[in-house]
Amino acid sequence: MALALAVGPAAARTPDRDQIAKIVKAQRPATLKALQDWIALPTIAAEKRNATAGADYMRRLALDAGFQQAKIIPTDGVPGVFATLDSGAKTTIGIYFMYDVKQFDPAEWSSPPLEARLVPRGTEGQALVGRGAVNQKGPEIAFLAAIKAILASGRKLPVNLVLVAEGEEEIASTHFAQVVAVPEVRDALARSIGVFIPTAGQDQNGSVNMTLGAKGAVEFQLIVGGETSDRYPKADVHSSNHARIENPAWRLVKALDTLVAADGHTPAIDGWFEHVRPLTDRQKQLIAEAAKPEVEAQEKKQLGIGKWIGDEPYGTSLERFYSQPTVNIQGLVAGYTGVGGKTVLPSRAEAKLEFRLVPAMTRDEAEAKLRAHLLKRGFDDVKVVVSGGYGPNETAEDSVLVTSQKRLFAEAGIAYTIRPRNAGSWPGVIFNGPPLNLPAAQFGVGRGGGAHAPNEWLLIDSSDPKVKGLEDTTMTYVDYLYVVADEAAKRRR
């Protein structure tokens, strides 16, 4: 079902492109197996699963792809990986990888999450199903395959590469800043023109969603119980005692209710919008251009919903999506949750939450305002545990990383839209912010879905020439490296 690789205007820029494309095609079985093998080794920071093995595997993947050196960088949590490939080029690009994945329950999957089976995906083609398929191991393996193909053709890469990888992205990059702070890593990144993360950015119609940044994320827990106050029992007690003993679950509910307005979604934390930067006219223009009825229908189908908040028009919902910070409850745990009832008064209640932050909010500001908000209302018995987080990131539309994407897509005839930021998060702010102050972007074609959900998938063979499968995705990374090198050279002239 594999399709012939598209050869378009990119062939004029990428030397020996036909030869490289043949190598990519010949590499396909090895590339596919590399992805399947990587998926079979999940690193899950929240479960402390495969932290050491995952880092070593990432290091070996980098060396196998052609990086001349790769080393594990210890942190106070899960280690990171740092690798370099010096091709003697005048331009250096930073690459960000995550090698960790979200938790999974095999009972919720129709295909085993660690077996990475190839399965038909309706009329779209053939997809690989597995945890990490699209977020982010699939795009990352395709990028590594692009490096291998260029080197196998006998050519040097047109750019030097600096790779930084972490195993804690799925818990909000708790210790990733420690990796970048290592002088050797920081100095290598400082020589780059920017950093990008490989992604699968195509919609079902083949259009690519480009983004100029991403929201920040802060993950935390609110805990009430015997460990936070002597008002609550140290262990579950008979429910009749609720007449004389406070229930920590009710207390937690009361605290949670103060964090949002009566509508259930607008943040109500004191001073929350103090530093929220409104959308610019250009950003509103980009959103309006993306607000197409067919895209709205596709999004609603994917999300399984029939209307947006307040039954708002699609354009308004997109403005909210990209511009609004959020206070979200991920989960609530308290007392008995088994079959039927159980007459207990729980000794502990916990809520798992997240903030999504927009420019110009910061992680430290968000945490401080949350704590102050709860204390002001007398919730001194609510314990706040921040497990990880970082602020939002932004990159200018005229940065080399972005202009190179626009040029590549335009010349290759790939439709694209530009969005002010990704409503999801990645720790680009660690590169955007001081001391590096680098552009940070996402880039990639290909299509997938189900990140963080059951049956996560990546399209391997596409039945639509507009939507790229594994081989065309790999070749697009090849082309991107050459376009970036050319765009950077123009800036030096």
Side-chain angles (χ1 to χ4, degrees):
M1 198 172 184
L3 301 175
L5 297 176
V7 179
R13 292 189 306 274
T14 301
D16 301 323
R17 191 178 193 277
D18 288 345
Q19 180 192 359
I20 296 173
K22 290 177 182 177
I23 294 170
V24 167
K25 188 175 183 65
Q27 286 180 171
R28 173 193 162 95
T31 302
L32 194 56
K33 187 176 186 304
L35 177 55
Q36 291 170 322
D37 289 347
W38 200 9
I39 286 173
L41 181 70
T43 297
I44 303 177
E47 298 177 350
K48 297 180 173 56
R49 183 173 178 182
N50 291 327
T52 301
D56 184 63
Y57 200 84
M58 178 71 255
R59 181 187 68 83
R60 286 187 283 124
L61 281 174
L63 292 172
D64 181 63
F67 284 83
Q68 291 131 345
Q69 73 83 24
K71 61 180 66 175
I72 293 174
I73 305 295
T75 74
D76 291 337
V78 179
V81 175
F82 164 61
T84 55
L85 194 164
D86 185 352
S87 63
K90 293 183 178 180
T91 298
T92 298
I93 302 177
I95 310 297
Y96 167 83
F97 273 21
M98 52 181 281
Y99 64 85
D100 63 319
V101 298
K102 272 292 186 187
Q103 305 93 311
F104 56 86
D105 179 356
E108 298 176 343
W109 291 61
S110 61
S111 181
L114 299 184
E115 291 188 12
R117 293 178 182 174
L118 291 174
V119 301
R121 183 166 177 81
T123 60
E124 292 191 64
Q126 191 175 46
L128 181 146
V129 175
R131 176 54 87 222
V134 69
N135 184 28
Q136 295 288 138
K137 292 180 176 180
E140 290 168 351
I141 281 289
F143 180 78
L144 295 177
I147 298 173
K148 289 183 179 181
I150 295 173
L151 295 176
S153 74
R155 302 190 66 87
K156 291 184 176 181
L157 265 64
V159 295
N160 310 312
L161 299 178
V162 177
L163 171 70
V164 283
E166 66 162 319
E168 293 183 317
E169 198 281 339
E170 296 294 11
I171 58 169
S173 302
T174 315
H175 300 99
F176 181 53
Q178 294 179 8
V179 176
V180 177
V182 172
E184 181 184 12
V185 179
R186 182 195 61 222
D187 293 347
L189 286 168
R191 294 190 288 271
S192 73
I193 62 167
V195 180
F196 83 87
I197 173 176
T199 61
Q202 282 188 291
D203 287 332
Q204 190 170 357
N205 64 6
S207 176
V208 175
N209 294 317
M210 291 175 54
T211 58
L212 302 178
K215 288 184 177 181
V218 181
E219 287 202 344
F220 61 99
Q221 296 82 45
L222 298 185
I223 302 167
V224 184
E227 69 192 80
T228 71
S229 172
D230 61 7
R231 295 154 57 179
Y232 313 109
K234 301 298 184 185
D236 292 1
V237 298
H238 195 280
S239 60
S240 64
N241 283 291
H242 189 32
R244 59 179 180 168
I245 299 176
E246 288 195 47
N247 185 322
W250 278 120
R251 181 66 168 167
L252 179 60
V253 168
K254 297 293 186 183
L256 291 171
D257 192 46
T258 71
L259 302 183
V260 294
D263 60 18
H265 59 81
T266 301
I269 297 171
D270 296 335
W272 191 245
F273 291 91
E274 179 184 4
H275 296 128
V276 171
R277 188 188 306 154
L279 293 170
T280 65
D281 289 342
R282 172 59 175 163
Q283 289 171 332
K284 290 181 179 180
Q285 177 190 355
L286 293 173
I287 290 171
E289 291 172 355
K292 300 174 181 178
E294 63 273 19
V295 179
E296 178 182 22
Q298 180 181 326
E299 284 195 24
K300 284 183 173 179
K301 182 179 179 180
Q302 288 176 339
L303 295 169
I305 55 100
K307 60 178 64 178
W308 309 112
I309 281 177
D311 205 15
E312 293 174 339
Y314 184 44
T316 305
S317 80
L318 283 181
E319 288 196 6
R320 181 190 296 278
F321 193 43
Y322 296 121
S323 70
Q324 293 297 299
T326 61
V327 178
N328 178 55
I329 298 175
Q330 298 175 344
L332 293 168
V333 182
Y336 178 70
T337 58
V339 178
K342 187 178 182 183
T343 53
V344 297
L345 186 156
S347 60
R348 188 179 192 275
E350 177 179 347
K352 298 179 184 295
L353 299 96
E354 88 205 20
F355 294 145
R356 296 286 172 169
L357 310 180
V358 299
M361 304 173 80
T362 68
R363 173 213 157 133
D364 290 345
E365 169 202 1
E367 180 180 347
K369 286 181 175 176
L370 168 66
R371 293 183 184 276
H373 174 94
L374 291 173
L375 287 175
K376 180 180 178 181
R377 286 156 180 79
F379 289 105
D380 56 344
D381 57 324
V382 177
K383 183 179 179 181
V384 179
V385 179
V386 177
S387 53
Y390 46 82
N393 68 80
E394 289 187 292
T395 289
E397 195 173 344
D398 63 356
S399 69
V400 171
L401 291 180
V402 177
T403 59
S404 297
Q405 292 184 43
K406 294 164 71 173
R407 173 178 158 186
L408 187 155
F409 293 146
E411 294 180 356
I414 299 173
Y416 67 89
T417 59
I418 305 175
R419 303 193 176 188
R421 65 185 60 96
N422 191 331
S425 303
W426 72 287
V429 66
I430 293 174
F431 310 115
N432 267 166
L436 292 171
N437 301 308
L438 291 169
Q442 297 172 290
F443 171 74
V445 294
R447 174 165 157 73
H452 299 189
N455 299 318
E456 181 179 352
W457 60 277
L458 178 76
L459 199 63
I460 299 298
D461 295 307
S462 175
S463 57
D464 183 348
K466 293 180 181 179
V467 180
K468 308 302 182 185
L470 180 62
E471 294 163 50
D472 278 336
T473 294
T474 300
M475 281 306 300
T476 303
Y477 285 124
V478 171
D479 293 332
Y480 186 57
L481 295 180
Y482 280 98
V483 175
V484 169
D486 188 51
E487 285 287 300
K490 288 180 180 178
R491 302 283 178 103
R492 291 194 295 268
R493 292 172 193 152

